[in-house]
Amino acid sequence: QLDKFAKNKDVQKDLDYLKKAVARYTTTDDLLKDRKAMTILLSAYDLEGEGKTGMGRIRKVLTEDPTADGALS
């Protein structure tokens, strides 16, 4: 089922957009200002309805050391 999801045309479109956005921006803040990229990221982490809390969690995932104790990523 995961393979079918990954091949979904809308999922591929979102992934392509996100890859280009990540390559285009030089800071986390730049990426966080991109509304479409944030919508994709919030959806990926099931945080769509969390508003600023969700944005804070995405910021933490993008900036924290993934090997640190308690890391979200």
Side-chain angles (χ1 to χ4, degrees):
Q1 211 169 22
L2 181 60
D3 188 46
K4 185 178 179 181
F5 176 78
K7 291 180 181 178
N8 178 288
K9 190 166 60 170
D10 291 332
V11 171
Q12 286 300 311
K13 185 177 169 185
D14 285 347
L15 286 173
D16 289 342
Y17 181 87
L18 195 55
K19 286 176 187 177
K20 289 175 184 172
V22 168
R24 182 172 54 242
Y25 299 127
T26 57
T27 69
T28 301
D29 286 333
D30 289 340
L31 181 61
L32 293 175
K33 290 176 188 173
D34 182 327
R35 188 175 287 287
K36 184 171 181 173
M38 285 308 301
T39 299
I40 295 166
L41 288 169
L42 290 168
S43 176
Y45 285 93
D46 198 26
L47 297 171
E48 299 101 318
E50 304 239 355
K52 290 187 182 213
T53 301
M55 297 268 295
R57 288 184 181 162
I58 293 295
R59 177 185 296 282
K60 186 172 182 178
V61 166
L62 292 173
T63 59
E64 73 183 352
D65 177 355
T67 63
D69 289 339
L72 294 176
S73 54

